[in-house]
């Protein structure tokens, strides 16, 4: 159980790691539980029996966890935000009075409030700032070039200095690590996260993934696993977003429960549509399927153009906002054999398209 007494603590100012919480208790059993929850959240706490004698420790800690046994000993400490009174007795009415006396923001009872507390500790340990601008890319039909555009967007974002994570959500696509020339790179792939539940640490996730072209890549391996439970997908993408910067997701055209979890966390998605009538018809079905979950879907048109079609007409037929015409670059039709990833040539038409997209999208995100 967790209850609010006064006000919520302020969010951490920025995306850097903020350090672990301060624990104040003499209850050995309670301390063991709090240390276990800190370990689950990836945080190393500072432990005291009362208000720390070292000047500034009480005030500087990002979060203070006060055991109910220690409430009397911290009653005279300076009032601050981010204090949680932790106890075990659900039926003790005096706990609320003691929480007010020490200026606690929350009263939390174990074991019921464990997941809430793990999330809160992880927030302060990681630093919670603006979540990553999360963009999905999917093809209106097979071979539309969605994976190429997803890679180019990620490579361009990283080149512009944004913390960038590229997520391969299509287990049958062959692996984006292959597209980026990093199929042998060390790091975890999707099957390693299949058992994830609850909260995944953002920093730990990022450090565990292959680093290619200054960005992190979560792809599929060449094994038999082609599904990850929806709750694991939800936890992993949420962790990726907490790090800030940009997250690019290469999406399959089918919508299953795992893909629906991703769609729900996207800020926007680009539907890549070749400029031909059959592709437009197929893209209409894809747009209808993802539109039930996705909040913001836009169309990116790829030539060559069939007679009577241009990018504006394709967008009109689909009833979607137009992002623009996606340039087709020689040598990138089969990027895994080109020796360079899509978007790597900074002055190329494709890189310019991606750079202009990010400029507009980031402005929209800041204004939202």
């Amino acid at each position: 159980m967790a209850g609010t007494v006064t006000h919520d603590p302020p969010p951490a100012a920025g995306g850097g790691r903020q350090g672990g919480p301060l624990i104040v208790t003499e209850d050995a059993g309670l301390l063991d539980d709090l240390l276990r929850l800190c370990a689950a959240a990836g945080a190393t706490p500072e432990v005291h029996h009362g208000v720390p004698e070292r000047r500034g420790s009480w005030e500087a800690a990002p979060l203070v966890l006060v055991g109910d046994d220690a409430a009397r000993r911290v009653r005279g400490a300076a009032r601050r935000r981010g204090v949680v009174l932790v106890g075990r007795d659900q039926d003790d009415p005096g706990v609320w009075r003691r929480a007010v006396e020490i200026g606690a923001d929350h009263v939390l009872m174990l074991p019921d409030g464990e997941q809430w507390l793990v999330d809160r500790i992880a927030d302060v340990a990681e630093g919670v700032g603006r979540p990553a601008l999360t963009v999905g890319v999917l093809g209106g039909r097979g071979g539309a070039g969605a994976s190429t555009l997803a890679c180019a967007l990620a490579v361009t974002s990283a080149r512009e200095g944004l913390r960038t994570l590229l997520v391969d959500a299509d287990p049958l696509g062959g692996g984006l690590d292959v597209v980026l020339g990093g199929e042998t790179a060390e790091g975890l792939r999707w099957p390693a996260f299949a058992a994830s539940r609850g909260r995944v640490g953002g920093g730990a996730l990022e450090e565990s993934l292959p680093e290619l072209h200054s960005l992190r890549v979560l792809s599929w391996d060449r094994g038999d696993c082609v599904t990850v439970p929806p709750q694991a997908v939800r936890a992993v993408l949420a962790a990726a977003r907490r790090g800030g910067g940009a997250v690019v997701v290469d999406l399959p055209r089918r919508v299953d429960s795992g893909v629906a979890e991703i769609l729900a966390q996207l800020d926007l998605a680009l539907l890549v549509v070749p400029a031909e009538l059959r592709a437009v018809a197929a893209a209409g079905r894809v747009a209808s399927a993802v539109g039930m979950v996705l909040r913001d879907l836009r169309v990116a048109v790829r030539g060559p153009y069939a007679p009577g079609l241009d990018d504006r007409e394709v967008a009109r037929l689909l009833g979607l906002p137009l992002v623009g015409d996606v340039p087709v670059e020689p040598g990138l039709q089969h990027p895994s054999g080109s020796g360079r990833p899509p978007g790597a040539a900074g002055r190329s038409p494709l890189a310019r398209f991606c750079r202009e997209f990010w400029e507009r999208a980031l402005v929209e995100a800041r204004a939202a």
Side-chain angles (χ1 to χ4, degrees), residues 31-71:
L31 178 59
D32 285 345
D33 283 338
L34 293 178
L35 291 175
R36 172 176 56 82
L37 297 178
C38 286
T44 302
E46 180 180 343
V47 180
H48 291 270
H49 293 163
V51 178
E53 295 181 1
R54 181 161 55 89
R55 184 177 180 84
S57 293
W58 172 271
E59 293 83 1
L63 181 68
V64 178
L65 307 178
V66 179
D68 195 25
D69 66 289

Side-chain angles (χ1 to χ4, degrees), residues 244-288:
V247 174
V248 181
V249 186
D250 183 29
L251 293 161
R253 298 196 310 282
R254 73 187 189 288
V255 179
D256 58 20
S257 56
V259 173
E261 293 288 352
I262 295 175
L263 293 174
Q265 295 194 54
L266 295 180
D267 294 302
L268 64 98
L270 304 183
L271 180 63
V272 183
V273 183
E276 55 187 52
L277 286 176
R278 188 178 178 187
V280 173
R285 293 194 173 192
V286 175
S288 177

Side-chain angles (χ1 to χ4, degrees), residues 315-341:
R316 186 192 69 79
L317 290 171
L318 291 171
L320 296 173
L322 176 65
V323 172
D325 174 86
V326 181
V328 178
E329 294 189 20
L332 292 183
Q333 298 297 334
H334 301 285
S336 61
S338 67
R340 62 174 186 175

Side-chain angles (χ1 to χ4, degrees), residues 36-112:
R36 172 176 56 82
L37 297 178
C38 286
T44 302
E46 180 180 343
V47 180
H48 291 270
H49 293 163
V51 178
E53 295 181 1
R54 181 161 55 89
R55 184 177 180 84
S57 293
W58 172 271
E59 293 83 1
L63 181 68
V64 178
L65 307 178
V66 179
D68 195 25
D69 66 289
R72 179 180 54 82
R73 295 192 297 277
V74 303
R75 193 180 300 162
R79 292 300 175 102
R80 52 153 293 163
R81 301 172 73 181
V83 176
V84 180
L85 183 63
V86 185
R88 296 182 186 279
D89 188 353
Q90 305 273 3
D91 300 320
D92 179 7
V95 69
W96 299 97
R97 173 181 51 80
R98 293 190 290 276
V100 171
E101 289 174 349
I102 67 172
D105 297 308
H106 290 83
V107 172
L108 181 132
M109 293 296 170
L110 299 180
D112 292 357

Side-chain angles (χ1 to χ4, degrees), residues 5 22 49 51 57 59 82 128 141 148 156 161 168 197 241 262 271 273 277 280 297-298 331 347 357 364:
V5 176
L22 171 66
H49 293 163
V51 178
S57 293
E59 293 83 1
V128 178
R141 65 156 170 79
T148 296
T156 301
D168 184 356
R197 300 291 186 275
R241 298 185 71 237
I262 295 175
L271 180 63
V273 183
L277 286 176
V280 173
L297 180 63
R298 310 176 191 183
R347 296 185 179 181
F357 166 79
E364 291 175 7

